[in-house]
Amino acid sequence: MVNPPSTIQSNLPAMLPLHSRNVAVIGAGAAGIVAARELGREGHKVVVLEKDNQIGGTWVYTPLVETDPIGLDPGREIIHSSLYCSLRTNLPREVMGYTDYPFVPRKSGSGDPRRFPGHTEVLTYLKEFGRDFGIHEMVRYETEVLNVGLVENNKWRVRSKTRHDCYIDEIYDAVVVCNGHYTEPRIADIPGINSWPGKQMHSHNYRVPEPFQDKVVILIGGSASAVDICRDIAGVAKEVYVASRSVADETYEKHPGYDNMWHHPMIESAHKDGTVVFRNGNVVLADVILHCTGYKYNFPFLDTNGNVTVDDSCVGPLYKHVFPPVFAPWLSFVGLPWKVVPFPLCELQCKWIAGNLSGRLALPSQEEMMEDVKAFYSKLEASGIPKRYTHNMASYQFDYDDWLAEQSGSPGIEEWRKQMYNAVSKKKRDGPETYRDEWEDHDLILQAEEDFIKHISSRVVTKK
């Protein structure tokens, strides 16, 4: 649970910013574009540095995959997006959107009007957000950030490279890191895998099921991508075996509705004859092991002299998952938490960051922030929560959101949004095959639509 320090004032009235800072935002995905908007609203001068030629980040689908399908070769050309062709959101659009920019179907009926739309609809939404808030004018496209380091007077030097191999060094007051965390694969540790002759790949490089035609596939993982991809592949593969550490070691059961898909515990070992042994003792001669095992946080451009590190998926030390105390508020991270509704969370983090940079808000002292971080880590350890779950907010994301809102003087998360998220989460557990197209929360949808009217009306007025 988040423990807000008593030293911070809350519900401060909006006012003209005390200071306008020069701020670099790294990345123009869902986090970066809302960072640009909130920083701009606060009166800061913003430059967004984006490697791609468009906004959207991980929501920009590409059929391209990396040369190393498992993603371990440090010399491989990095493909940023992890989207697969069939991906649909696992959150309803009402819940998913930014708080004051509803993610609603177009009145014309164009696009993907489904409540749980495909990835193209999300990208369109982000581009419309960029258009309506003038974000495109702040973005330098096809610009890769090579290095971010501290220089004299607590400024930050940002070195970047354009697509024409032009190197640029610039000095900024502050840097906001929004580079996402779905690019650097995390791989399962399998004894004997180096002598196993089959093919390994990570879901980061999965796009379509056709390459798995008539193959025997072992898929490792139990999260959203694993649930989707195993069904995708089962339509063409000979056999699919889903291995997960979330099931008991004796588990061996057929997936409901499929004649060629079974659930197992984790892999015990792999062997040079092509066999794979599960912890339940079953043995499978497999062609492919597909790791749907998540990602690592990675900031290859960031030089903090060891003051900010990534250790077993824990980025730290960070005050409230955002500010390194030694650099606060001049360096911040947006969007690190997972098992959350990401867009509104990023929006609230950015409001808090923007207000602290202008001086409208005030952080505790460096020492107080470090004490808070240490207390948080101690609580995780005492609860038996692994370090890799440091940024997992499944049990308290809305408390965290509301705390951020209080600090920045913003409205908290709507009650209907919380209830809808909880209802969909239960529906997903009970009916993973059908939850996207069958639902019973019509009363909450009506509440959301009533709430959206004022935002949509103001959006129309703004455009005129």
mmCIF file of all heavy atoms in Angstrom, residues 258-282:
data_model
loop_
_atom_site.group_PDB
_atom_site.id
_atom_site.type_symbol
_atom_site.label_atom_id
_atom_site.label_comp_id
_atom_site.label_asym_id
_atom_site.label_seq_id
_atom_site.Cartn_x
_atom_site.Cartn_y
_atom_site.Cartn_z
ATOM 1 N N TYR A 258 -10.369 -27.253 -26.712
ATOM 2 C CA TYR A 258 -9.284 -27.550 -27.651
ATOM 3 C C TYR A 258 -8.863 -29.012 -27.500
ATOM 4 O O TYR A 258 -8.687 -29.510 -26.386
ATOM 5 C CB TYR A 258 -8.073 -26.643 -27.388
ATOM 6 C CG TYR A 258 -8.317 -25.196 -27.726
ATOM 7 C CD1 TYR A 258 -8.945 -24.348 -26.804
ATOM 8 C CD2 TYR A 258 -7.928 -24.661 -28.949
ATOM 9 C CE1 TYR A 258 -9.180 -23.017 -27.103
ATOM 10 C CE2 TYR A 258 -8.152 -23.329 -29.254
ATOM 11 C CZ TYR A 258 -8.782 -22.514 -28.325
ATOM 12 O OH TYR A 258 -9.008 -21.192 -28.629
ATOM 13 N N ASP A 259 -8.690 -29.694 -28.637
ATOM 14 C CA ASP A 259 -8.246 -31.083 -28.623
ATOM 15 C C ASP A 259 -6.734 -31.210 -28.700
ATOM 16 O O ASP A 259 -6.193 -32.315 -28.556
ATOM 17 C CB ASP A 259 -8.868 -31.857 -29.801
ATOM 18 C CG ASP A 259 -10.381 -31.992 -29.652
ATOM 19 O OD1 ASP A 259 -10.853 -32.078 -28.498
ATOM 20 O OD2 ASP A 259 -11.073 -32.001 -30.690
ATOM 21 N N ASN A 260 -6.050 -30.101 -28.949
ATOM 22 C CA ASN A 260 -4.596 -30.173 -29.158
ATOM 23 C C ASN A 260 -3.813 -29.254 -28.229
ATOM 24 O O ASN A 260 -2.689 -28.870 -28.532
ATOM 25 C CB ASN A 260 -4.258 -29.845 -30.619
ATOM 26 C CG ASN A 260 -4.587 -28.404 -30.981
ATOM 27 O OD1 ASN A 260 -5.428 -27.767 -30.346
ATOM 28 N ND2 ASN A 260 -3.920 -27.895 -32.012
ATOM 29 N N MET A 261 -4.404 -28.883 -27.072
ATOM 30 C CA MET A 261 -3.712 -27.977 -26.160
ATOM 31 C C MET A 261 -3.856 -28.481 -24.721
ATOM 32 O O MET A 261 -4.957 -28.806 -24.282
ATOM 33 C CB MET A 261 -4.251 -26.543 -26.288
ATOM 34 C CG MET A 261 -3.526 -25.540 -25.407
ATOM 35 S SD MET A 261 -3.626 -23.826 -25.962
ATOM 36 C CE MET A 261 -5.400 -23.555 -25.992
ATOM 37 N N TRP A 262 -2.706 -28.545 -24.023
ATOM 38 C CA TRP A 262 -2.662 -29.049 -22.651
ATOM 39 C C TRP A 262 -1.908 -28.074 -21.750
ATOM 40 O O TRP A 262 -1.015 -27.356 -22.206
ATOM 41 C CB TRP A 262 -1.951 -30.407 -22.598
ATOM 42 C CG TRP A 262 -2.673 -31.501 -23.315
ATOM 43 C CD1 TRP A 262 -3.547 -32.422 -22.789
ATOM 44 C CD2 TRP A 262 -2.588 -31.814 -24.715
ATOM 45 N NE1 TRP A 262 -4.010 -33.270 -23.762
ATOM 46 C CE2 TRP A 262 -3.426 -32.926 -24.966
ATOM 47 C CE3 TRP A 262 -1.872 -31.256 -25.791
ATOM 48 C CZ2 TRP A 262 -3.577 -33.494 -26.215
ATOM 49 C CZ3 TRP A 262 -2.022 -31.816 -27.048
ATOM 50 C CH2 TRP A 262 -2.867 -32.920 -27.255
ATOM 51 N N HIS A 263 -2.261 -28.100 -20.463
ATOM 52 C CA HIS A 263 -1.589 -27.272 -19.468
ATOM 53 C C HIS A 263 -0.674 -28.134 -18.604
ATOM 54 O O HIS A 263 -1.043 -29.232 -18.184
ATOM 55 C CB HIS A 263 -2.614 -26.561 -18.583
ATOM 56 C CG HIS A 263 -3.334 -25.472 -19.296
ATOM 57 N ND1 HIS A 263 -2.871 -24.175 -19.332
ATOM 58 C CD2 HIS A 263 -4.481 -25.481 -20.030
ATOM 59 C CE1 HIS A 263 -3.702 -23.429 -20.038
ATOM 60 N NE2 HIS A 263 -4.686 -24.203 -20.490
ATOM 61 N N HIS A 264 0.510 -27.614 -18.348
ATOM 62 C CA HIS A 264 1.528 -28.288 -17.558
ATOM 63 C C HIS A 264 2.130 -27.313 -16.550
ATOM 64 O O HIS A 264 2.030 -26.101 -16.717
ATOM 65 C CB HIS A 264 2.677 -28.775 -18.465
ATOM 66 C CG HIS A 264 2.333 -29.950 -19.314
ATOM 67 N ND1 HIS A 264 2.527 -31.245 -18.909
ATOM 68 C CD2 HIS A 264 1.831 -30.029 -20.573
ATOM 69 C CE1 HIS A 264 2.158 -32.069 -19.877
ATOM 70 N NE2 HIS A 264 1.724 -31.357 -20.892
ATOM 71 N N PRO A 265 2.840 -27.856 -15.538
ATOM 72 C CA PRO A 265 3.689 -26.986 -14.715
ATOM 73 C C PRO A 265 4.928 -26.593 -15.511
ATOM 74 O O PRO A 265 5.057 -26.925 -16.699
ATOM 75 C CB PRO A 265 4.036 -27.870 -13.517
ATOM 76 C CG PRO A 265 3.990 -29.259 -14.066
ATOM 77 C CD PRO A 265 2.881 -29.253 -15.098
ATOM 78 N N MET A 266 5.862 -25.929 -14.861
ATOM 79 C CA MET A 266 7.058 -25.461 -15.569
ATOM 80 C C MET A 266 7.920 -26.618 -16.075
ATOM 81 O O MET A 266 7.781 -27.758 -15.647
ATOM 82 C CB MET A 266 7.893 -24.568 -14.652
ATOM 83 C CG MET A 266 7.455 -23.112 -14.679
ATOM 84 S SD MET A 266 7.565 -22.366 -16.317
ATOM 85 C CE MET A 266 9.331 -22.310 -16.532
ATOM 86 N N ILE A 267 8.814 -26.266 -16.999
ATOM 87 C CA ILE A 267 9.739 -27.232 -17.571
ATOM 88 C C ILE A 267 10.806 -27.596 -16.539
ATOM 89 O O ILE A 267 11.386 -26.729 -15.883
ATOM 90 C CB ILE A 267 10.390 -26.645 -18.839
ATOM 91 C CG1 ILE A 267 9.335 -26.442 -19.934
ATOM 92 C CG2 ILE A 267 11.519 -27.541 -19.335
ATOM 93 C CD1 ILE A 267 9.860 -25.688 -21.144
ATOM 94 N N GLU A 268 11.057 -28.886 -16.420
ATOM 95 C CA GLU A 268 12.118 -29.380 -15.536
ATOM 96 C C GLU A 268 13.473 -29.348 -16.236
ATOM 97 O O GLU A 268 14.481 -28.926 -15.674
ATOM 98 C CB GLU A 268 11.800 -30.817 -15.095
ATOM 99 C CG GLU A 268 12.792 -31.422 -14.120
ATOM 100 C CD GLU A 268 12.652 -30.846 -12.730
ATOM 101 O OE1 GLU A 268 11.524 -30.476 -12.333
ATOM 102 O OE2 GLU A 268 13.681 -30.764 -12.041
ATOM 103 N N SER A 269 13.490 -29.788 -17.522
ATOM 104 C CA SER A 269 14.761 -29.845 -18.256
ATOM 105 C C SER A 269 14.499 -30.051 -19.738
ATOM 106 O O SER A 269 13.434 -30.518 -20.149
ATOM 107 C CB SER A 269 15.643 -30.979 -17.720
ATOM 108 O OG SER A 269 14.976 -32.225 -17.805
ATOM 109 N N ALA A 270 15.494 -29.704 -20.556
ATOM 110 C CA ALA A 270 15.464 -29.938 -22.012
ATOM 111 C C ALA A 270 16.687 -30.780 -22.372
ATOM 112 O O ALA A 270 17.728 -30.696 -21.718
ATOM 113 C CB ALA A 270 15.481 -28.614 -22.758
ATOM 114 N N HIS A 271 16.560 -31.569 -23.465
ATOM 115 C CA HIS A 271 17.607 -32.543 -23.768
ATOM 116 C C HIS A 271 17.978 -32.515 -25.241
ATOM 117 O O HIS A 271 17.196 -32.093 -26.098
ATOM 118 C CB HIS A 271 17.142 -33.933 -23.347
ATOM 119 C CG HIS A 271 16.801 -34.008 -21.886
ATOM 120 N ND1 HIS A 271 17.714 -34.332 -20.917
ATOM 121 C CD2 HIS A 271 15.624 -33.743 -21.233
ATOM 122 C CE1 HIS A 271 17.125 -34.285 -19.721
ATOM 123 N NE2 HIS A 271 15.856 -33.928 -19.887
ATOM 124 N N LYS A 272 19.189 -33.016 -25.530
ATOM 125 C CA LYS A 272 19.730 -32.941 -26.890
ATOM 126 C C LYS A 272 18.996 -33.829 -27.882
ATOM 127 O O LYS A 272 19.155 -33.662 -29.097
ATOM 128 C CB LYS A 272 21.214 -33.259 -26.889
ATOM 129 C CG LYS A 272 21.588 -34.651 -26.396
ATOM 130 C CD LYS A 272 23.099 -34.803 -26.392
ATOM 131 C CE LYS A 272 23.524 -36.164 -25.864
ATOM 132 N NZ LYS A 272 25.007 -36.294 -25.822
ATOM 133 N N ASP A 273 18.166 -34.777 -27.402
ATOM 134 C CA ASP A 273 17.366 -35.587 -28.317
ATOM 135 C C ASP A 273 16.066 -34.885 -28.715
ATOM 136 O O ASP A 273 15.228 -35.456 -29.419
ATOM 137 C CB ASP A 273 17.066 -36.954 -27.705
ATOM 138 C CG ASP A 273 16.232 -36.873 -26.420
ATOM 139 O OD1 ASP A 273 15.926 -35.739 -25.975
ATOM 140 O OD2 ASP A 273 15.888 -37.935 -25.871
ATOM 141 N N GLY A 274 15.895 -33.627 -28.259
ATOM 142 C CA GLY A 274 14.715 -32.850 -28.631
ATOM 143 C C GLY A 274 13.572 -32.935 -27.649
ATOM 144 O O GLY A 274 12.555 -32.249 -27.810
ATOM 145 N N THR A 275 13.716 -33.762 -26.606
ATOM 146 C CA THR A 275 12.640 -33.900 -25.629
ATOM 147 C C THR A 275 12.710 -32.811 -24.572
ATOM 148 O O THR A 275 13.780 -32.261 -24.272
ATOM 149 C CB THR A 275 12.673 -35.267 -24.932
ATOM 150 O OG1 THR A 275 13.933 -35.430 -24.278
ATOM 151 C CG2 THR A 275 12.458 -36.388 -25.939
ATOM 152 N N VAL A 276 11.551 -32.525 -24.004
ATOM 153 C CA VAL A 276 11.420 -31.568 -22.909
ATOM 154 C C VAL A 276 10.634 -32.246 -21.796
ATOM 155 O O VAL A 276 9.570 -32.832 -22.046
ATOM 156 C CB VAL A 276 10.698 -30.284 -23.367
ATOM 157 C CG1 VAL A 276 10.464 -29.345 -22.199
ATOM 158 C CG2 VAL A 276 11.498 -29.580 -24.465
ATOM 159 N N VAL A 277 11.167 -32.189 -20.582
ATOM 160 C CA VAL A 277 10.532 -32.839 -19.436
ATOM 161 C C VAL A 277 9.894 -31.779 -18.543
ATOM 162 O O VAL A 277 10.540 -30.788 -18.182
ATOM 163 C CB VAL A 277 11.568 -33.646 -18.620
ATOM 164 C CG1 VAL A 277 10.879 -34.341 -17.442
ATOM 165 C CG2 VAL A 277 12.276 -34.660 -19.503
ATOM 166 N N PHE A 278 8.626 -31.995 -18.201
ATOM 167 C CA PHE A 278 7.917 -31.084 -17.304
ATOM 168 C C PHE A 278 8.031 -31.565 -15.858
ATOM 169 O O PHE A 278 8.374 -32.725 -15.596
ATOM 170 C CB PHE A 278 6.446 -30.977 -17.704
ATOM 171 C CG PHE A 278 6.217 -30.383 -19.060
ATOM 172 C CD1 PHE A 278 6.079 -31.208 -20.172
ATOM 173 C CD2 PHE A 278 6.149 -29.018 -19.233
ATOM 174 C CE1 PHE A 278 5.870 -30.676 -21.434
ATOM 175 C CE2 PHE A 278 5.945 -28.469 -20.491
ATOM 176 C CZ PHE A 278 5.815 -29.302 -21.592
ATOM 177 N N ARG A 279 7.698 -30.697 -14.922
ATOM 178 C CA ARG A 279 7.802 -31.051 -13.509
ATOM 179 C C ARG A 279 6.818 -32.135 -13.093
ATOM 180 O O ARG A 279 6.982 -32.760 -12.047
ATOM 181 C CB ARG A 279 7.607 -29.805 -12.646
ATOM 182 C CG ARG A 279 8.787 -28.850 -12.700
ATOM 183 C CD ARG A 279 8.566 -27.623 -11.834
ATOM 184 N NE ARG A 279 9.702 -26.711 -11.916
ATOM 185 C CZ ARG A 279 9.721 -25.483 -11.412
ATOM 186 N NH1 ARG A 279 8.642 -25.013 -10.783
ATOM 187 N NH2 ARG A 279 10.801 -24.731 -11.531
ATOM 188 N N ASN A 280 5.787 -32.362 -13.903
ATOM 189 C CA ASN A 280 4.847 -33.435 -13.606
ATOM 190 C C ASN A 280 5.333 -34.779 -14.150
ATOM 191 O O ASN A 280 4.631 -35.792 -14.047
ATOM 192 C CB ASN A 280 3.451 -33.120 -14.143
ATOM 193 C CG ASN A 280 3.443 -32.874 -15.654
ATOM 194 O OD1 ASN A 280 4.419 -33.166 -16.348
ATOM 195 N ND2 ASN A 280 2.346 -32.325 -16.157
ATOM 196 N N GLY A 281 6.528 -34.782 -14.758
ATOM 197 C CA GLY A 281 7.103 -36.016 -15.278
ATOM 198 C C GLY A 281 6.794 -36.288 -16.733
ATOM 199 O O GLY A 281 7.417 -37.165 -17.349
ATOM 200 N N ASN A 282 5.868 -35.567 -17.312
ATOM 201 C CA ASN A 282 5.541 -35.794 -18.719
ATOM 202 C C ASN A 282 6.673 -35.328 -19.626
ATOM 203 O O ASN A 282 7.374 -34.354 -19.324
ATOM 204 C CB ASN A 282 4.254 -35.054 -19.098
ATOM 205 C CG ASN A 282 3.014 -35.743 -18.547
ATOM 206 O OD1 ASN A 282 3.067 -36.902 -18.131
ATOM 207 N ND2 ASN A 282 1.909 -35.022 -18.515
#
